[in-house]
Amino acid sequence: MSDDDPRIDKARAKAILFEEAARAGAGFIDPAWERLIDTFSQACENSSRTHIAFLGTAILAKCIDVRFDAFAVKEAESDRAYSARGLCHNVLVPNAPEIDINLGVTGKEPLNNQPYFRVQRVSRDMPVRGPVRPVIEMLCQLLDKLEALKSEAEARQALRAFIAVRKRYGQRYAPLTRITSALTAEQLITAIEEFVAESSEGGRRAQAIVAALMDLFAGEDRVHVGRVNDPSRTVPGDVAVRSATDPEKWERVFEVRDKPVSREDLLLFITRCRDAGIAEVAIVAVAGGQEDIPLAEARSWAIERGLTLSVFRTWADLVAQVLYWAPTPQIEGLAQIPALIYARLVALEVSPSGAAAWLDLVGSPEDGSPQGTAENS
C-alpha cells in the first residue's frame, strides 16, 4: 500500500480543509450532519476513537472527488478506492492542529491501527471487539450517507460539520518551540526521572518515554503503543516494535511499570509473550519502591521457553542502551529524544499541564530565560 496516491491532490485537499474550516467558524454548518457526527463522536469516546479519524478522512476524500468510495481503506480495493491512510497521514493529521480539530487519536498514523491496518475496505463485519460493534454500525451508516452525496458542495457541508464538532473535543498543548538541543545524557536522564516521579498519570508518562526511545531506535512507523489499562491489546506489553522485514510480526515488546514488579508479574508477562510468539521481551521496572527480583531465575525460565528477557531497573540503563544501539549518532539521538517524548506525551493524552512540565524540564521557559535542567544542571 502506498501513502502517496497520485489521485489525491494534496495541495487541493489542504485548501479545501482550510476553506471549510473558515466557513465552519463563520457558522455555515448543516445541523443534520452536525447532530450525526456529534452522536458518533460521543460513541467513539467510550470505545475506539480511531474511527473518528477515518470518518474525517472519508469526508475529505468525497470533497476532493465525490466519486471516491467512502468505505475504501486501500487504493487497490477498486477503481473508486483511494489510499485513506495516505490522505489522513499527509493532509488531515498535519493540518488538524492549525485548524484546531481533534481527530480522536493523536498519533501520526491513525489508520495504522486495528482494524484499518489489515482491511481493504470498511464493512459492518470488520473484525472488532463486541463493544465496538455499534460504533462500526454507526460509522457505516454515516459512510452510506456520504456515498449518497451527488456533489462536492454536499460533501463540503459534511466536512464543515465534522470540523465544527471536532473543535469541541481534545486538550490544548503548548507548542514545541521551547525544546532545546543542549541536553547531555545525564541531564536527559535527570529530566526523565524528575518527570516520572512528579506524577504517574496512570502510567502514561513512563509509557510515553519508552515509546519515544523506541521511536529513536526503530522509527515511529514500527512502534506500536497500547492504550494504558487497555484489556484488548493486540500484542502483550505496553510498547511493541514491529519486525523490520515483516510488519505482521513483532520484534520485541516492553512492559512499562512505574509501580513495583513482582516475580509473578515477570513470569506472567513471559508466558503471554511466549503464547504470542515474541522472542525478545523487556520489562521497564522503574518504581522507587522496587524490591529485588530473582532475575537469574526469571531469565532461565524465559530461555527454557525460547525467549530472551531484559529488565531495566533505571532510566539510565534504558537510555544508555537505546542511545548505543540506535542508528543515529548519540549526540543526534540526544537532540531528538526530548521532542520525541513530547510527541508521545500528546499521543497518549498526558495532561496538558504534564506535557508543559516536560517542556519546563528540557527547554527554556516561555519568557526565554534559562531553565534549570536544560541550561544550569
Side-chain angles (χ1 to χ4, degrees):
M1 177 180 61
S2 170
D3 278 355
D4 193 11
D5 188 334
R7 290 166 295 179
I8 298 292
D9 183 336
K10 289 179 283 190
R12 179 167 178 265
K14 178 179 177 180
I16 289 171
L17 191 62
F18 278 83
E19 287 168 10
E20 299 314 316
R23 291 189 177 107
F28 296 100
I29 303 164
D30 182 283
W33 271 114
E34 185 178 24
R35 284 193 299 270
L36 289 170
I37 294 172
D38 188 49
T39 300
F40 178 69
S41 293
Q42 292 177 39
C44 288
E45 285 293 302
N46 300 318
S47 55
S48 177
R49 286 176 284 185
T50 299
H51 305 298
I52 294 168
F54 180 79
L55 176 63
T57 302
I59 294 173
L60 182 57
K62 283 290 189 180
C63 293
I64 298 166
D65 188 338
V66 76
R67 295 170 296 180
F68 277 141
D69 181 359
F71 289 83
V73 176
K74 301 177 181 178
E75 69 271 27
E77 200 276 330
S78 74
D79 292 340
R80 294 177 56 230
Y82 70 102
S83 174
R85 176 181 172 182
L87 179 58
C88 186
H89 174 69
N90 292 317
V91 180
L92 198 57
V93 168
N95 293 296
E98 189 168 348
I99 62 174
D100 196 23
I101 62 171
N102 183 288
L103 297 177
V105 289
T106 47
K108 294 182 178 180
E109 294 275 11
L111 303 187
N112 200 26
N113 298 323
Q114 295 287 10
Y116 299 99
F117 181 76
R118 297 182 184 276
V119 301
Q120 296 282 332
R121 192 171 187 270
V122 169
S123 67
R124 287 173 168 84
D125 58 357
M126 282 200 308
V128 296
R129 295 179 292 119
V132 184
R133 185 66 54 195
V135 172
I136 295 298
E137 175 60 33
M138 293 175 67
L139 174 61
C140 288
Q141 290 174 1
L142 286 166
L143 298 178
D144 283 335
K145 285 184 65 66
L146 289 175
E147 280 292 272
L149 299 180
K150 303 298 184 184
S151 68
E152 178 184 320
E154 291 178 324
R156 287 183 177 235
Q157 286 185 336
L159 182 59
R160 289 197 294 273
F162 179 84
I163 292 170
V165 170
R166 295 312 304 174
K167 276 181 174 288
R168 303 170 196 154
Y169 288 80
Q171 304 184 84
R172 300 294 184 262
Y173 291 91
L176 270 174
T177 52
R178 295 165 55 200
I179 289 283
T180 179
S181 60
L183 292 175
T184 65
E186 291 76 15
Q187 289 172 330
L188 174 65
I189 291 163
T190 298
I192 290 172
E193 290 172 342
E194 290 182 13
F195 181 66
V196 176
E198 179 190 64
S199 174
S200 168
E201 297 204 39
R204 288 180 177 83
R205 292 192 180 191
Q207 189 171 321
I209 291 166
V210 174
L213 292 173
M214 287 303 99
D215 288 339
L216 180 71
F217 171 76
E220 295 171 58
D221 289 346
R222 290 173 55 200
V223 179
H224 168 83
V225 185
R227 309 298 294 184
V228 173
N229 299 322
D230 181 2
S232 62
R233 293 176 184 167
T234 58
V235 60
D238 299 298
V239 179
V241 179
R242 296 184 190 278
S243 167
T245 57
D246 185 354
E248 298 289 324
K249 295 182 179 179
W250 300 103
E251 176 182 293
R252 66 191 69 218
V253 296
F254 291 77
E255 182 81 351
V256 185
R257 302 289 291 271
D258 61 354
K259 58 184 178 181
V261 177
S262 67
R263 170 182 175 274
E264 290 72 25
D265 292 330
L266 277 177
L267 301 186
L268 177 60
F269 180 53
I270 292 168
T271 301
R272 291 171 56 212
C273 291
R274 178 204 61 189
D275 293 344
I278 302 166
E280 291 283 343
V281 304
I283 287 197
V284 181
V286 291
Q290 179 65 54
E291 298 179 355
D292 288 338
I293 307 171
L295 295 182
E297 175 195 353
R299 289 192 175 108
S300 296
W301 201 79
I303 289 172
E304 290 171 3
R305 287 151 181 81
L307 288 79
T308 299
L309 171 68
S310 299
V311 179
F312 296 96
R313 295 286 304 274
T314 69
W315 287 112
D317 289 342
L318 179 59
V319 170
Q321 182 129 333
V322 169
L323 284 172
Y324 184 76
W325 288 111
T328 56
Q330 291 193 36
I331 193 166
E332 293 180 17
L334 282 168
Q336 294 175 29
I337 288 173
L340 290 172
I341 290 176
Y342 187 80
R344 286 296 183 177
L345 293 172
V346 173
L348 281 170
E349 297 177 351
V350 166
S351 65
S353 61
W358 175 247
L359 295 181
D360 288 342
L361 288 165
V362 298
S364 58
E366 293 176 298
D367 62 6
S369 58
Q371 185 67 32
T373 300
E375 303 292 343
N376 301 328
S377 295

